[in-house]
Amino acid sequence: MALETVSLNRSHDGMQGVYRHASRETKTAMTFSVYVPPHQAGAKLPLVWYLSGLTCTHANVTEKGEFRRACAELGLVFVAPDTSPRGEGVPGDPAGAYDFGLGAGFYVDATRPPFAQNYRMWSYVTEELPELIAQEFPVDPKRQSILGHSMGGYGALTIALRHPDRYRAASALSPIVAPSQVPWGIKALGGYLGDERAAWRKHDTVALIEDGARFSDFLVDYGDADQFLTEQLRPELLEQACSQAGIPLILRRQTGYDHSYYFVSTFMEDHMRWHAARLAR
Amino acid sequence: MALETVSLNRSHDGMQGVYRHASRETKTAMTFSVYVPPHQAGAKLPLVWYLSGLTCTHANVTEKGEFRRACAELGLVFVAPDTSPRGEGVPGDPAGAYDFGLGAGFYVDATRPPFAQNYRMWSYVTEELPELIAQEFPVDPKRQSILGHSMGGYGALTIALRHPDRYRAASALSPIVAPSQVPWGIKALGGYLGDERAAWRKHDTVALIEDGARFSDFLVDYGDADQFLTEQLRPELLEQACSQAGIPLILRRQTGYDHSYYFVSTFMEDHMRWHAARLAR
């Protein structure tokens, strides 16, 4: 797996890199970013995964996320994958909508044609890219954690619930928590996985918890001015599921904040501290 | 002067706004951003001006500058103007180059046709926009300071030297310091002001100091991996001029940093603290 360096910039005493490689899972070139904080030669650092939301690439959080200062202080590597395969021959939304296809991989391995060929973001994010990162960067694979925003928050929580021994912390900013019950999720899971709803439950945070999946604890922030709050995000469903399952959840409703990176960047440092505390154990 | 709100997002407990207005100086619509930190009702806050570099609009620093956390903590309003007039009928570089015309106003009032009609960024940034900001935002015009990046660093230092009583602090990231002696500046000052070099000296930090202009002190950061360092920026010329004039200068050469916003965002907090200390006096 050859790794091409797209850019490398010194930032907050560490290095912000952007890289490209040929993915065996998506059968396309995939781009991702990695911030490596200042560290002693030979050190193996804890690693935070950040999954992005609809329409995003690695670039949104890399440019606007304001995570590097905290990661430099706390000694965290920060990895931001893309949100879907891209390129010629990769099918997108038939109508060109933003919420399916390109930029909207929904962190599943698609089973329906024509998407099954390239849309393998679950395996890409949980298997292929972790292997590559472990080979190429100064990380300790025993100390990984995961967070995300919106569709990426949904990805982070579902991945954590299905791999509770691999990720030591999980958190989310404005996540979709019950995709089976909201328009974005119904469109995406139906399109990638088909109409058999039993297959959706492994990609639905609330359903996973109902079906017995557990995680140590979650931190979740929402803005109360988020335009997607009541129709797409529905944090009350996560609150109910965690309460019934006995999963500790810190759910914070942030006054006046919307769905944008102005919200994400405001609370990013809090999330990095949450992750660092659990990665240090 | 009617002000149109383009966007308004809560961030770091304050509000990040983007605004548009019809400028009397440039005779175009001009866009700028203002961050207002959390504050008590009725308070009048100190105000930091940030001038951007070649090719930039207000958006670069607004999205990538990582200034809001520090401004929220320190109680600073942060204003970022555009770098040139824009729109139909505004002449640009005859060859379409990035370093003259659109995105490259160089903070002068042009005297040469066809640029004299719209390219009045000096008066826009030092007169028209300050009046508008004082009318529309909770600021204390007696407590203003100014900084900038690259072409904007040059703008900030020249404006401070010509208005030492108005700005209580001035600093720069990777500034052009002697435009009369480097290719970017020779092209821009010649194009906007004509070949008579006497007129350039009021827009050249080093020449202004040689001609007797003074300021309390400057903070200037450069990256030693900046690709423009030796040809366009030439910080040693500022160091010599300040030394001969007895102007206190903190000039920091930052190891491994380039000309990008990864550099700017790394040192932004330092600059906000420098400004806040002088605005509090």
Side-chain angles (χ1 to χ4, degrees), chain A residues 8-14 16 62-64 66-69 255-258 260 262-263 265-266 269, chain B residues 8-14 16 62-64 66-69 255-258 260 262-263 265-266 269:
Chain A
L8 200 55
N9 299 88
R10 192 156 188 83
S11 182
H12 289 283
D13 287 338
Q16 179 64 61
T62 305
E63 296 177 353
K64 304 179 185 177
E66 300 188 16
F67 59 86
R68 280 177 290 271
R69 180 183 176 280
T255 304
Y257 286 89
D258 59 27
S260 72
Y262 292 109
F263 161 72
S265 59
T266 297
E269 180 179 339
Chain B
L8 200 54
N9 299 87
R10 193 156 187 84
S11 182
H12 290 282
D13 287 339
Q16 178 63 61
T62 305
E63 296 178 353
K64 304 179 186 176
E66 301 190 13
F67 58 85
R68 281 177 290 270
R69 179 183 177 279
T255 305
Y257 286 89
D258 59 28
S260 72
Y262 293 109
F263 162 71
S265 59
T266 297
E269 181 178 339

Short mmCIF file of all heavy atoms in Angstrom, two decimals, chain A residues 8-14 16 62-64 66-69 255-258 260 262-263 265-266 269, chain B residues 8-14 16 62-64 66-69 255-258 260 262-263 265-266 269:
data_model
loop_
_atom_site.label_atom_id
_atom_site.label_comp_id
_atom_site.label_asym_id
_atom_site.label_seq_id
_atom_site.Cartn_x
_atom_site.Cartn_y
_atom_site.Cartn_z
N LEU A 8 2.18 18.67 3.40
CA LEU A 8 2.75 18.48 4.73
C LEU A 8 3.09 19.87 5.24
O LEU A 8 3.87 20.59 4.63
CB LEU A 8 4.00 17.60 4.61
CG LEU A 8 4.52 16.87 5.83
CD1 LEU A 8 3.47 15.99 6.48
CD2 LEU A 8 5.72 16.00 5.41
N ASN A 9 2.43 20.26 6.34
CA ASN A 9 2.62 21.62 6.87
C ASN A 9 2.84 21.57 8.36
O ASN A 9 2.07 20.94 9.09
CB ASN A 9 1.36 22.47 6.62
CG ASN A 9 1.02 22.63 5.15
OD1 ASN A 9 0.33 21.81 4.59
ND2 ASN A 9 1.54 23.67 4.53
N ARG A 10 3.84 22.27 8.80
CA ARG A 10 4.07 22.36 10.24
C ARG A 10 2.94 23.18 10.87
O ARG A 10 2.54 24.22 10.35
CB ARG A 10 5.42 23.02 10.53
CG ARG A 10 5.83 22.87 11.98
CD ARG A 10 7.35 22.97 12.11
NE ARG A 10 7.80 22.65 13.45
CZ ARG A 10 8.00 21.42 13.89
NH1 ARG A 10 7.82 20.38 13.09
NH2 ARG A 10 8.41 21.20 15.12
N SER A 11 2.43 22.68 12.00
CA SER A 11 1.31 23.37 12.66
C SER A 11 1.31 23.01 14.13
O SER A 11 1.41 21.83 14.49
CB SER A 11 -0.01 22.93 12.01
OG SER A 11 -1.10 23.62 12.60
N HIS A 12 1.23 24.03 14.98
CA HIS A 12 1.19 23.81 16.43
C HIS A 12 2.29 22.83 16.86
O HIS A 12 2.03 21.90 17.62
CB HIS A 12 -0.19 23.32 16.86
CG HIS A 12 -1.26 24.39 16.77
ND1 HIS A 12 -1.39 25.40 17.69
CD2 HIS A 12 -2.23 24.62 15.84
CE1 HIS A 12 -2.40 26.19 17.35
NE2 HIS A 12 -2.91 25.75 16.23
N ASP A 13 3.47 23.04 16.32
CA ASP A 13 4.67 22.27 16.65
C ASP A 13 4.67 20.84 16.17
O ASP A 13 5.63 20.09 16.42
CB ASP A 13 4.95 22.28 18.16
CG ASP A 13 5.45 23.64 18.61
OD1 ASP A 13 5.97 24.39 17.77
OD2 ASP A 13 5.33 23.95 19.80
N GLY A 14 3.59 20.41 15.51
CA GLY A 14 3.56 19.08 14.92
C GLY A 14 3.49 19.18 13.40
O GLY A 14 3.81 20.23 12.83
N GLN A 16 0.91 18.55 10.04
CA GLN A 16 -0.37 18.21 9.43
C GLN A 16 -0.11 17.70 8.03
O GLN A 16 0.37 18.45 7.18
CB GLN A 16 -1.28 19.45 9.37
CG GLN A 16 -2.62 19.18 8.72
CD GLN A 16 -3.44 18.18 9.50
OE1 GLN A 16 -3.79 18.41 10.65
NE2 GLN A 16 -3.75 17.03 8.89
N THR A 62 -9.95 19.33 8.77
CA THR A 62 -8.52 19.64 8.76
C THR A 62 -8.30 21.14 8.75
O THR A 62 -7.40 21.66 9.42
CB THR A 62 -7.86 18.98 7.54
OG1 THR A 62 -8.14 17.57 7.57
CG2 THR A 62 -6.35 19.19 7.54
N GLU A 63 -9.14 21.86 8.00
CA GLU A 63 -8.98 23.31 7.91
C GLU A 63 -9.73 24.07 9.01
O GLU A 63 -9.27 25.09 9.48
CB GLU A 63 -9.47 23.79 6.53
CG GLU A 63 -8.62 23.23 5.40
CD GLU A 63 -9.12 23.64 4.02
OE1 GLU A 63 -10.20 24.24 3.93
OE2 GLU A 63 -8.42 23.33 3.04
N LYS A 64 -10.91 23.57 9.39
CA LYS A 64 -11.80 24.35 10.26
C LYS A 64 -11.99 23.75 11.65
O LYS A 64 -12.70 24.34 12.47
CB LYS A 64 -13.18 24.46 9.60
CG LYS A 64 -13.19 25.04 8.21
CD LYS A 64 -14.62 25.06 7.67
CE LYS A 64 -14.67 25.52 6.23
NZ LYS A 64 -16.05 25.46 5.69
N GLU A 66 -10.06 23.12 14.32
CA GLU A 66 -9.39 23.66 15.52
C GLU A 66 -9.04 22.56 16.53
O GLU A 66 -9.20 22.73 17.74
CB GLU A 66 -10.26 24.75 16.17
CG GLU A 66 -10.50 25.91 15.21
CD GLU A 66 -11.19 27.13 15.84
OE1 GLU A 66 -11.23 27.23 17.07
OE2 GLU A 66 -11.67 27.98 15.07
N PHE A 67 -8.53 21.44 16.04
CA PHE A 67 -8.13 20.34 16.92
C PHE A 67 -6.64 20.30 17.20
O PHE A 67 -6.21 19.67 18.15
CB PHE A 67 -8.56 19.00 16.30
CG PHE A 67 -7.97 18.75 14.94
CD1 PHE A 67 -6.71 18.18 14.79
CD2 PHE A 67 -8.67 19.09 13.79
CE1 PHE A 67 -6.16 17.95 13.52
CE2 PHE A 67 -8.13 18.88 12.52
CZ PHE A 67 -6.88 18.31 12.40
N ARG A 68 -5.83 20.97 16.39
CA ARG A 68 -4.38 20.76 16.49
C ARG A 68 -3.77 21.30 17.78
O ARG A 68 -2.87 20.67 18.34
CB ARG A 68 -3.67 21.37 15.27
CG ARG A 68 -3.75 20.47 14.05
CD ARG A 68 -3.11 21.12 12.83
NE ARG A 68 -3.91 22.22 12.36
CZ ARG A 68 -4.90 22.10 11.47
NH1 ARG A 68 -5.16 20.95 10.91
NH2 ARG A 68 -5.59 23.15 11.11
N ARG A 69 -4.25 22.43 18.24
CA ARG A 69 -3.68 22.97 19.48
C ARG A 69 -3.87 21.98 20.62
O ARG A 69 -2.93 21.70 21.38
CB ARG A 69 -4.38 24.29 19.80
CG ARG A 69 -3.90 24.96 21.05
CD ARG A 69 -4.72 26.24 21.29
NE ARG A 69 -4.36 26.86 22.53
CZ ARG A 69 -4.81 26.47 23.73
NH1 ARG A 69 -5.62 25.44 23.82
NH2 ARG A 69 -4.44 27.12 24.81
N THR A 255 -26.57 25.97 23.82
CA THR A 255 -27.50 27.06 23.47
C THR A 255 -26.98 27.92 22.33
O THR A 255 -25.87 28.47 22.40
CB THR A 255 -27.74 27.96 24.70
OG1 THR A 255 -28.22 27.14 25.76
CG2 THR A 255 -28.77 29.04 24.38
N GLY A 256 -27.79 28.05 21.28
CA GLY A 256 -27.50 28.97 20.19
C GLY A 256 -26.62 28.41 19.09
O GLY A 256 -26.39 29.08 18.08
N TYR A 257 -26.11 27.19 19.26
CA TYR A 257 -25.21 26.63 18.25
C TYR A 257 -25.97 25.91 17.16
O TYR A 257 -27.01 25.29 17.41
CB TYR A 257 -24.20 25.68 18.91
CG TYR A 257 -23.16 26.43 19.69
CD1 TYR A 257 -23.35 26.75 21.03
CD2 TYR A 257 -22.00 26.85 19.07
CE1 TYR A 257 -22.40 27.46 21.73
CE2 TYR A 257 -21.04 27.57 19.76
CZ TYR A 257 -21.24 27.87 21.09
OH TYR A 257 -20.30 28.59 21.78
N ASP A 258 -25.39 25.96 15.93
CA ASP A 258 -26.02 25.31 14.78
C ASP A 258 -25.23 24.04 14.39
O ASP A 258 -24.51 23.48 15.21
CB ASP A 258 -26.15 26.31 13.62
CG ASP A 258 -24.79 26.88 13.18
OD1 ASP A 258 -23.75 26.20 13.34
OD2 ASP A 258 -24.78 28.02 12.67
N SER A 260 -22.88 23.74 12.05
CA SER A 260 -21.69 24.05 11.25
C SER A 260 -20.39 23.75 11.99
O SER A 260 -20.38 23.38 13.16
CB SER A 260 -21.70 25.54 10.88
OG SER A 260 -21.42 26.31 12.05
N TYR A 262 -18.48 25.99 12.95
CA TYR A 262 -18.35 26.95 14.05
C TYR A 262 -18.75 26.29 15.37
O TYR A 262 -18.19 26.60 16.42
CB TYR A 262 -19.20 28.19 13.78
CG TYR A 262 -18.67 28.99 12.62
CD1 TYR A 262 -19.34 29.03 11.40
CD2 TYR A 262 -17.47 29.69 12.72
CE1 TYR A 262 -18.84 29.75 10.33
CE2 TYR A 262 -16.97 30.41 11.66
CZ TYR A 262 -17.65 30.44 10.46
OH TYR A 262 -17.14 31.15 9.41
N PHE A 263 -19.70 25.38 15.30
CA PHE A 263 -20.09 24.57 16.46
C PHE A 263 -19.02 23.51 16.74
O PHE A 263 -18.52 23.39 17.88
CB PHE A 263 -21.45 23.92 16.18
CG PHE A 263 -21.77 22.74 17.05
CD1 PHE A 263 -22.08 22.91 18.39
CD2 PHE A 263 -21.78 21.46 16.51
CE1 PHE A 263 -22.37 21.80 19.19
CE2 PHE A 263 -22.07 20.36 17.30
CZ PHE A 263 -22.36 20.53 18.65
N SER A 265 -15.86 23.30 15.98
CA SER A 265 -14.57 23.81 16.45
C SER A 265 -14.66 24.34 17.88
O SER A 265 -13.67 24.32 18.62
CB SER A 265 -14.04 24.89 15.51
OG SER A 265 -14.96 25.96 15.42
N THR A 266 -15.83 24.80 18.27
CA THR A 266 -16.00 25.33 19.63
C THR A 266 -15.83 24.23 20.67
O THR A 266 -15.21 24.46 21.73
CB THR A 266 -17.38 25.99 19.78
OG1 THR A 266 -17.46 27.11 18.90
CG2 THR A 266 -17.62 26.45 21.22
N GLU A 269 -12.05 20.96 21.52
CA GLU A 269 -11.07 20.79 22.61
C GLU A 269 -11.65 19.95 23.75
O GLU A 269 -10.95 19.08 24.28
CB GLU A 269 -10.62 22.16 23.13
CG GLU A 269 -9.61 22.04 24.26
CD GLU A 269 -9.12 23.38 24.78
OE1 GLU A 269 -9.22 24.39 24.05
OE2 GLU A 269 -8.64 23.41 25.93
N LEU B 8 -24.42 34.30 10.25
CA LEU B 8 -24.23 34.59 11.66
C LEU B 8 -24.22 33.23 12.37
O LEU B 8 -25.21 32.49 12.28
CB LEU B 8 -25.38 35.47 12.15
CG LEU B 8 -25.22 36.28 13.43
CD1 LEU B 8 -23.98 37.17 13.39
CD2 LEU B 8 -26.46 37.15 13.64
N ASN B 9 -23.09 32.89 12.98
CA ASN B 9 -22.96 31.57 13.61
C ASN B 9 -22.38 31.72 15.01
O ASN B 9 -21.36 32.38 15.20
CB ASN B 9 -22.01 30.68 12.81
CG ASN B 9 -22.48 30.43 11.39
OD1 ASN B 9 -22.20 31.21 10.49
ND2 ASN B 9 -23.20 29.36 11.18
N ARG B 10 -23.00 31.05 15.95
CA ARG B 10 -22.45 31.05 17.30
C ARG B 10 -21.14 30.26 17.30
O ARG B 10 -21.05 29.19 16.71
CB ARG B 10 -23.44 30.44 18.28
CG ARG B 10 -23.07 30.70 19.73
CD ARG B 10 -24.29 30.62 20.63
NE ARG B 10 -23.99 31.03 21.99
CZ ARG B 10 -23.97 32.28 22.41
NH1 ARG B 10 -24.22 33.27 21.58
NH2 ARG B 10 -23.69 32.57 23.67
N SER B 11 -20.14 30.82 17.98
CA SER B 11 -18.84 30.15 18.02
C SER B 11 -18.08 30.60 19.25
O SER B 11 -18.00 31.80 19.53
CB SER B 11 -18.04 30.52 16.75
OG SER B 11 -16.80 29.85 16.74
N HIS B 12 -17.55 29.63 20.00
CA HIS B 12 -16.78 29.94 21.20
C HIS B 12 -17.53 30.97 22.07
O HIS B 12 -16.93 31.94 22.55
CB HIS B 12 -15.38 30.44 20.83
CG HIS B 12 -14.51 29.35 20.26
ND1 HIS B 12 -13.89 28.40 21.04
CD2 HIS B 12 -14.16 29.04 18.99
CE1 HIS B 12 -13.19 27.57 20.29
NE2 HIS B 12 -13.35 27.93 19.03
N ASP B 13 -18.81 30.73 22.23
CA ASP B 13 -19.68 31.55 23.09
C ASP B 13 -19.96 32.96 22.58
O ASP B 13 -20.68 33.72 23.22
CB ASP B 13 -19.14 31.64 24.52
CG ASP B 13 -19.33 30.33 25.27
OD1 ASP B 13 -20.18 29.53 24.84
OD2 ASP B 13 -18.61 30.11 26.26
N GLY B 14 -19.37 33.33 21.44
CA GLY B 14 -19.68 34.62 20.83
C GLY B 14 -20.39 34.42 19.51
O GLY B 14 -20.94 33.34 19.25
N GLN B 16 -19.92 34.79 15.27
CA GLN B 16 -19.14 35.07 14.07
C GLN B 16 -20.10 35.51 12.98
O GLN B 16 -20.94 34.72 12.54
CB GLN B 16 -18.38 33.82 13.64
CG GLN B 16 -17.57 34.02 12.36
CD GLN B 16 -16.48 35.06 12.53
OE1 GLN B 16 -15.58 34.89 13.35
NE2 GLN B 16 -16.54 36.15 11.78
N THR B 62 -11.24 33.77 8.65
CA THR B 62 -12.46 33.48 9.41
C THR B 62 -12.62 31.98 9.59
O THR B 62 -13.04 31.52 10.67
CB THR B 62 -13.68 34.07 8.66
OG1 THR B 62 -13.45 35.47 8.46
CG2 THR B 62 -14.96 33.89 9.46
N GLU B 63 -12.29 31.20 8.58
CA GLU B 63 -12.44 29.75 8.67
C GLU B 63 -11.23 29.06 9.26
O GLU B 63 -11.35 28.06 9.96
CB GLU B 63 -12.72 29.18 7.27
CG GLU B 63 -14.04 29.69 6.70
CD GLU B 63 -14.32 29.19 5.30
OE1 GLU B 63 -13.45 28.55 4.69
OE2 GLU B 63 -15.44 29.45 4.79
N LYS B 64 -10.03 29.56 8.95
CA LYS B 64 -8.81 28.82 9.29
C LYS B 64 -7.94 29.49 10.33
O LYS B 64 -6.90 28.94 10.70
CB LYS B 64 -7.95 28.63 8.02
CG LYS B 64 -8.66 27.97 6.87
CD LYS B 64 -7.70 27.88 5.68
CE LYS B 64 -8.40 27.35 4.44
NZ LYS B 64 -7.50 27.35 3.26
N GLU B 66 -8.22 30.32 13.58
CA GLU B 66 -8.16 29.86 14.98
C GLU B 66 -7.97 31.03 15.96
O GLU B 66 -7.24 30.93 16.93
CB GLU B 66 -7.07 28.79 15.16
CG GLU B 66 -7.32 27.58 14.27
CD GLU B 66 -6.43 26.39 14.55
OE1 GLU B 66 -5.75 26.34 15.58
OE2 GLU B 66 -6.41 25.48 13.69
N PHE B 67 -8.69 32.13 15.71
CA PHE B 67 -8.59 33.29 16.60
C PHE B 67 -9.72 33.37 17.62
O PHE B 67 -9.61 34.07 18.62
CB PHE B 67 -8.58 34.59 15.77
CG PHE B 67 -9.79 34.76 14.89
CD1 PHE B 67 -10.96 35.33 15.38
CD2 PHE B 67 -9.76 34.34 13.57
CE1 PHE B 67 -12.08 35.47 14.58
CE2 PHE B 67 -10.89 34.47 12.75
CZ PHE B 67 -12.04 35.04 13.27
N ARG B 68 -10.82 32.65 17.37
CA ARG B 68 -12.02 32.89 18.19
C ARG B 68 -11.87 32.46 19.64
O ARG B 68 -12.36 33.13 20.55
CB ARG B 68 -13.24 32.23 17.55
CG ARG B 68 -13.81 33.05 16.41
CD ARG B 68 -14.97 32.35 15.75
NE ARG B 68 -14.52 31.20 15.00
CZ ARG B 68 -14.16 31.23 13.73
NH1 ARG B 68 -14.21 32.36 13.05
NH2 ARG B 68 -13.73 30.15 13.12
N ARG B 69 -11.21 31.34 19.87
CA ARG B 69 -11.05 30.88 21.25
C ARG B 69 -10.32 31.94 22.07
O ARG B 69 -10.74 32.30 23.17
CB ARG B 69 -10.27 29.56 21.25
CG ARG B 69 -10.01 28.99 22.61
CD ARG B 69 -9.16 27.74 22.47
NE ARG B 69 -8.82 27.19 23.75
CZ ARG B 69 -7.83 27.65 24.52
NH1 ARG B 69 -7.11 28.69 24.12
NH2 ARG B 69 -7.57 27.09 25.67
N THR B 255 10.85 27.77 13.38
CA THR B 255 11.48 26.65 12.68
C THR B 255 10.46 25.72 12.03
O THR B 255 9.56 25.21 12.69
CB THR B 255 12.33 25.83 13.66
OG1 THR B 255 13.26 26.70 14.29
CG2 THR B 255 13.07 24.72 12.94
N GLY B 256 10.62 25.53 10.73
CA GLY B 256 9.83 24.54 10.01
C GLY B 256 8.50 25.05 9.48
O GLY B 256 7.81 24.33 8.75
N TYR B 257 8.14 26.27 9.79
CA TYR B 257 6.84 26.79 9.36
C TYR B 257 6.92 27.43 7.98
O TYR B 257 7.93 28.05 7.62
CB TYR B 257 6.31 27.81 10.38
CG TYR B 257 5.81 27.13 11.63
CD1 TYR B 257 6.68 26.87 12.70
CD2 TYR B 257 4.50 26.70 11.73
CE1 TYR B 257 6.24 26.22 13.84
CE2 TYR B 257 4.05 26.04 12.86
CZ TYR B 257 4.92 25.81 13.91
OH TYR B 257 4.47 25.16 15.03
N ASP B 258 5.79 27.33 7.24
CA ASP B 258 5.72 27.89 5.89
C ASP B 258 4.82 29.14 5.88
O ASP B 258 4.64 29.77 6.93
CB ASP B 258 5.26 26.82 4.89
CG ASP B 258 3.88 26.25 5.24
OD1 ASP B 258 3.08 26.96 5.88
OD2 ASP B 258 3.62 25.09 4.89
N SER B 260 1.59 29.35 5.08
CA SER B 260 0.17 28.99 5.03
C SER B 260 -0.57 29.37 6.32
O SER B 260 0.03 29.80 7.31
CB SER B 260 0.03 27.50 4.80
OG SER B 260 0.40 26.80 5.99
N TYR B 262 -1.67 27.23 8.25
CA TYR B 262 -1.19 26.34 9.32
C TYR B 262 -0.17 27.08 10.20
O TYR B 262 -0.09 26.85 11.40
CB TYR B 262 -0.59 25.07 8.73
CG TYR B 262 -1.63 24.21 8.06
CD1 TYR B 262 -1.68 24.09 6.68
CD2 TYR B 262 -2.58 23.53 8.81
CE1 TYR B 262 -2.65 23.32 6.06
CE2 TYR B 262 -3.55 22.75 8.21
CZ TYR B 262 -3.58 22.65 6.83
OH TYR B 262 -4.55 21.89 6.23
N PHE B 263 0.58 27.96 9.60
CA PHE B 263 1.49 28.85 10.34
C PHE B 263 0.70 29.95 11.07
O PHE B 263 0.86 30.16 12.28
CB PHE B 263 2.51 29.45 9.36
CG PHE B 263 3.21 30.67 9.86
CD1 PHE B 263 4.16 30.58 10.87
CD2 PHE B 263 2.91 31.92 9.33
CE1 PHE B 263 4.81 31.72 11.33
CE2 PHE B 263 3.55 33.05 9.79
CZ PHE B 263 4.50 32.96 10.79
N SER B 265 -2.41 30.14 12.02
CA SER B 265 -3.26 29.68 13.13
C SER B 265 -2.44 29.24 14.33
O SER B 265 -2.91 29.31 15.46
CB SER B 265 -4.18 28.55 12.65
OG SER B 265 -3.43 27.46 12.16
N THR B 266 -1.23 28.78 14.08
CA THR B 266 -0.38 28.34 15.19
C THR B 266 -0.01 29.51 16.10
O THR B 266 0.02 29.37 17.33
CB THR B 266 0.90 27.67 14.65
OG1 THR B 266 0.52 26.49 13.93
CG2 THR B 266 1.86 27.30 15.78
N GLU B 269 -2.85 32.89 18.57
CA GLU B 269 -3.14 33.13 20.00
C GLU B 269 -2.06 34.03 20.62
O GLU B 269 -2.40 34.95 21.39
CB GLU B 269 -3.22 31.80 20.76
CG GLU B 269 -3.53 32.02 22.23
CD GLU B 269 -3.66 30.72 23.00
OE1 GLU B 269 -3.92 29.66 22.39
OE2 GLU B 269 -3.48 30.77 24.24
#
